[in-house]
Amino acid sequence: MLIKTILILAFFAIMIAVGFACKKHAGDVNGFVLGGRGVGPWLTAFAYGTSYFSAVIFVGYAGQFGWKFGVASTWVGLGNAFIGSLLAWVILGRRTRIMTQHLGSATMPQFFETRFGSKSLKTLAAAVIFIFLIPYTASLYNGLSRLFAMAFDVDYTVCIVVMAVLTAVYVIAGGYMATAINDFIQGIIMLFGIAAIIGSVLKLNGGFLGSLNALANVSDPAVSSQPGVFASFFGPDPVGLLGVVILTSLGTWGLPQMVQKFYAIKSEEDIKKGTVISTVFACIVAGGCYFLGGFGRLFDVDVAAVGYDAIIPEMLSKLSPAICAVALVLVLSASMSTLSSLVLASSSTLTLDFIKPLRKKAADEKSELLIIRIFVGVFILISAVIAIVQYKAKVAFIAQLMGLSWGALAGAFLAPFLYGLYSKRVTKAACMVSCIWGPGIMLLNMFFKSSFPALLQSPINCGAFAMLSGLVIVPLVSLVTKAPDKKTVDAIFSCYDRKVTVPAKDALTSETK
């Protein structure tokens, strides 16, 4: 208990100290929301990774999908690394940074307004973001509470209040730069923590080969009659596994709190470094989490009685106090980093894209900054209350909450944002349809699940379908609606044609001697 307490208190002290130390970087809206667009590759890459992976992944997804798919759930982590991180940086990173700076956009709704010339699209996007980030935030608290209850026997409400207050303090004080530096520290903890936990868990069952052999002897007739299926390459349900990979990997391309990290990148060189760092981080953290969850069936967990969210805490309860303390700090790091990213994205969106346009009198810089800070607190308060109510009423598992949020947000924004960066033909109407389609189908799935085909009754699969169908809907609607003004679109895309000078080692020329 002493080890756990010391580590937790030291962690809290560092987070608060960083928040106040970064106060000087949060003196205006640009500094508070984007860090002045001068954040380096290590901070950006770690901010991206730690915002990506939270207690939802470690406790909820790793436990549930490890139980369902066995070690094949590791594919989810690899998908997160190579689709959700590597390809996201390569395809979105540079173009996002260039165009958002050219348009003067600080949030995703602002990008939609300036890119497509539509204030109504901006308002719709802001509403979708604020509404559907809340269940995601609630799921963060839920995952954290499971481990704290195991380690300290602390009431769930106390866990939520402490985490909410501490996150609010350092985000309100230091803004984006505080979250980026704390994300870096938290990311280091996550890297070392997951390695230590995997090694300790495997050791309980005779190492890697011993654990794999033990898993091969586990059978569940209700899942599959094939022997050794939980230790197989693709597990008992390859189609279901693919749905999880798509939702958790491709989904990041349309999540505002993830995409916004690209707005703040400092330079071209930083994009190259950030791509590598982010991918390696995801391989270790996400790959490690899902790999660990794959051995959940080796532990005595009555899933029918206690739910999937109890699997990882049960595994950790068998470890030494020191490793258990590391696990607590790891999950706390993952949760607080994601929470800070979510509240910053939501509060800045609500202030700049929803409240500001409604004011008759233009607010000065200090007033806008104050409003953003107030909404950071409001958003954290709302999500904390919902998390407590959700837990007491036992509404849903962590994975289902996150599936609803990711499916709605990525289903709404992935296609408009991606096509908006690359295509001059995509129309405002197409983006409107997508922003309604994603949340609409997820809400229908939530309330009328039995009316959906069996494959889409899962919010995970439905979320993946919402994203993929959006990639088809946007170009189809664009073809049958009026094309945007050519002169306006050419002016927007001119940012990509601006000439820059680079050293010869970075770019070949056609010069000959």
Side-chain angles (χ1 to χ4, degrees):
M1 183 63 71
L2 180 62
I3 294 173
K4 296 171 188 174
T5 304
I6 290 174
L7 282 178
I8 294 298
L9 291 178
F11 174 82
F12 287 155
I14 292 172
M15 298 302 103
I16 297 299
V18 169
F20 284 100
C22 292
K23 195 172 181 180
K24 61 184 178 181
H25 296 286
D28 56 29
V29 172
N30 185 52
F32 189 86
V33 176
L34 297 177
R37 295 188 190 264
V39 183
W42 284 90
L43 293 184
T44 302
F46 271 70
Y48 186 91
T50 54
S51 297
Y52 196 165
F53 310 116
S54 65
V56 177
I57 300 293
F58 188 73
V59 178
Y61 273 23
Q64 176 171 340
F65 300 127
W67 186 272
K68 287 186 174 182
F69 306 123
V71 291
S73 62
T74 307
W75 284 110
V76 181
L78 295 178
N80 293 173
F82 294 105
I83 300 174
S85 296
L86 176 63
L87 284 182
W89 277 76
V90 171
I91 294 174
L92 301 179
R94 180 184 292 103
R95 281 184 170 256
T96 298
R97 175 64 171 82
I98 294 171
M99 186 174 282
T100 55
Q101 185 176 30
H102 177 67
L103 298 176
S105 306
T107 65
M108 183 177 278
Q110 280 188 356
F111 169 81
F112 287 140
E113 179 191 27
T114 51
R115 170 65 182 85
F116 299 105
S118 173
K119 289 185 178 181
S120 57
L121 181 57
K122 179 181 75 170
T123 303
L124 175 61
V128 170
I129 289 171
F130 187 76
I131 292 170
F132 286 96
L133 280 184
I134 289 176
Y136 186 7
T137 309
S139 68
L140 299 179
Y141 295 114
N142 195 335
L144 185 67
S145 70
R146 293 279 184 169
L147 292 188
F148 267 75
M150 175 201 75
F152 294 106
D153 194 24
V154 176
D155 183 72
Y156 176 71
T157 304
V158 175
C159 294
I160 290 179
V161 171
V162 171
M163 179 179 168
V165 170
L166 290 170
T167 305
V169 168
Y170 81 74
V171 175
I172 290 172
Y176 184 85
M177 189 60 74
T179 65
I181 294 175
N182 276 334
D183 286 351
F184 180 76
I185 297 170
Q186 291 158 354
I188 296 294
I189 294 171
M190 291 166 69
L191 288 172
F192 285 98
I194 193 64
I197 293 167
I198 289 173
S200 299
V201 169
L202 292 180
K203 189 177 179 181
L204 293 175
N205 294 284
F208 172 63
L209 292 179
S211 299
L212 204 60
N213 287 333
L215 191 63
N217 292 321
V218 173
S219 61
D220 186 348
V223 176
S224 175
S225 59
Q226 181 181 346
V229 68
F230 296 109
S232 64
F233 200 64
F234 289 119
D237 182 13
V239 175
L241 179 62
L242 180 61
V244 178
V245 171
I246 293 172
L247 178 75
T248 62
S249 302
L250 193 61
T252 60
W253 295 28
L255 297 179
Q257 75 273 16
M258 302 298 296
V259 172
Q260 196 163 315
K261 299 295 185 291
F262 299 134
Y263 291 27
I265 298 173
K266 188 176 182 179
S267 67
E268 168 70 21
E269 188 64 27
D270 289 350
I271 291 178
K272 295 177 182 177
K273 292 179 181 177
T275 302
V276 175
I277 296 166
S278 179
T279 304
V280 172
F281 182 90
C283 276
I284 296 172
V285 174
C289 284
Y290 286 107
F291 175 75
L292 175 68
F295 294 95
R297 285 181 178 265
L298 298 183
F299 296 82
D300 186 20
V301 181
D302 185 358
V303 170
V306 297
Y308 295 112
D309 302 340
I311 296 171
I312 297 297
E314 175 63 25
M315 295 170 72
L316 297 178
S317 69
K318 308 296 183 184
L319 306 181
S320 68
I323 296 298
C324 189
V326 169
L328 283 173
V329 179
L330 182 156
V331 176
L332 187 63
S333 299
S335 299
M336 290 183 69
S337 60
T338 305
L339 178 61
S340 64
S341 178
L342 292 175
V343 299
L344 192 59
S346 182
S347 60
S348 60
T349 292
L350 192 66
T351 302
L352 300 176
D353 306 322
F354 201 80
I355 302 298
K356 183 179 177 180
L358 296 178
R359 292 171 66 105
K360 294 181 180 179
K361 184 180 178 181
D364 57 28
E365 190 87 5
K366 288 186 178 180
S367 297
E368 285 186 7
L369 193 54
L370 176 61
I371 294 171
I372 293 175
R373 284 187 160 121
I374 290 172
F375 275 113
V376 166
V378 169
F379 184 82
I380 289 178
L381 177 63
I382 293 173
S383 59
V385 169
I386 290 176
I388 294 172
V389 172
Q390 179 269 328
Y391 179 78
K392 300 294 184 183
K394 298 181 179 179
V395 176
F397 290 120
I398 295 174
Q400 277 64 47
L401 278 175
M402 186 176 171
L404 169 66
S405 177
W406 276 47
L409 290 166
F413 302 135
L414 190 157
F417 189 78
L418 177 63
Y419 289 123
L421 293 175
Y422 280 89
S423 172
K424 295 182 179 182
R425 182 61 181 83
V426 65
T427 65
K428 174 179 65 177
C431 296
M432 280 286 213
V433 171
S434 182
C435 286
I436 295 171
W437 166 253
I441 193 172
M442 293 307 298
L443 289 174
L444 288 173
N445 179 266
M446 180 179 178
F447 293 109
F448 306 102
K449 185 175 297 186
S450 60
S451 300
F452 279 67
L455 183 63
L456 297 182
Q457 289 183 8
S458 161
I460 307 298
N461 292 342
C462 188
F465 173 74
M467 284 183 252
L468 294 177
S469 56
L471 292 172
V472 177
I473 289 171
V474 169
L476 286 180
V477 175
S478 294
L479 286 175
V480 298
T481 52
K482 184 181 178 181
D485 179 67
K486 185 177 185 302
K487 186 177 180 180
T488 302
V489 175
D490 286 344
I492 292 172
F493 275 77
S494 65
C495 60
Y496 295 139
D497 299 323
R498 185 169 56 87
K499 303 298 181 184
V500 295
T501 303
V502 297
K505 65 182 179 65
D506 294 329
L508 297 174
T509 70
S510 58
E511 295 177 0
T512 57
K513 293 292 185 180

